[in-house]
Amino acid sequence: QVQLVESGGGLVQAGGSLRLSCAASGSIFSIRTMGWYRQAPGKQRELVAAITKVGSTNYVESVKGRFTISRDNAKNTVYLQMNALKPEDTAVYFCNADILPRDYSHWIAYWGQGTQVTVSS
């Protein structure tokens, strides 16, 4: 069984920083793209940042220059360093990964349970 476990959310003042982590564990053969999404109250879930296995990244325009996504393939872990946080960054942040489990013939999109990030003004 594969699972994604997130950590690192919390409450921070505007201008502050947080680092999110998401570790994939279980019977994993390979992981392709890993990413972070967020969902604010009353809004749709949006992609914040994604990173491929070889390190290519993309970001939503609103976080460019402030957030950095990275991954450690040996640890099956993805990180999101968030700097210069703004109140509009407040949301539940979800980790996502495209995973090929062992003994499977197809890739599956897994999600973490979500971690709350609250930025006070």
Side-chain angles (χ1 to χ4, degrees):
Q1 181 152 352
V2 174
Q3 62 176 351
L4 302 182
V5 178
E6 300 145 344
S7 61
L11 172 64
V12 65
Q13 288 188 330
S17 299
L18 284 174
R19 188 190 194 213
L20 306 182
S21 299
C22 171
S25 63
S27 185
I28 297 170
F29 181 77
S30 184
I31 303 177
R32 289 190 305 201
T33 299
M34 303 183 82
W36 290 94
Y37 288 71
R38 67 186 179 187
Q39 187 165 19
K43 294 188 177 181
Q44 288 190 328
R45 189 174 297 189
E46 67 170 351
L47 174 65
V48 177
I51 184 168
T52 67
K53 191 168 187 175
V54 296
S56 296
T57 60
N58 67 283
Y59 299 88
V60 67
E61 191 66 32
S62 60
V63 308
K64 287 181 179 178
R66 300 187 297 121
F67 291 11
T68 302
I69 190 170
S70 61
R71 66 189 281 175
D72 184 333
N73 290 331
K75 296 181 179 180
N76 290 337
T77 299
V78 63
Y79 307 95
L80 186 67
Q81 178 66 43
M82 305 185 293
N83 298 328
L85 281 159
K86 303 175 181 180
E88 51 263 43
D89 294 318
T90 295
V92 179
Y93 284 69
F94 297 90
C95 173
N96 169 269
D98 289 331
I99 295 175
L100 179 62
R102 293 188 186 279
D103 301 324
Y104 272 63
S105 60
H106 57 278
W107 296 80
I108 300 173
Y110 286 89
W111 291 90
Q113 79 282 3
T115 184
Q116 177 70 45
V117 171
T118 302
V119 184
S120 63
S121 57

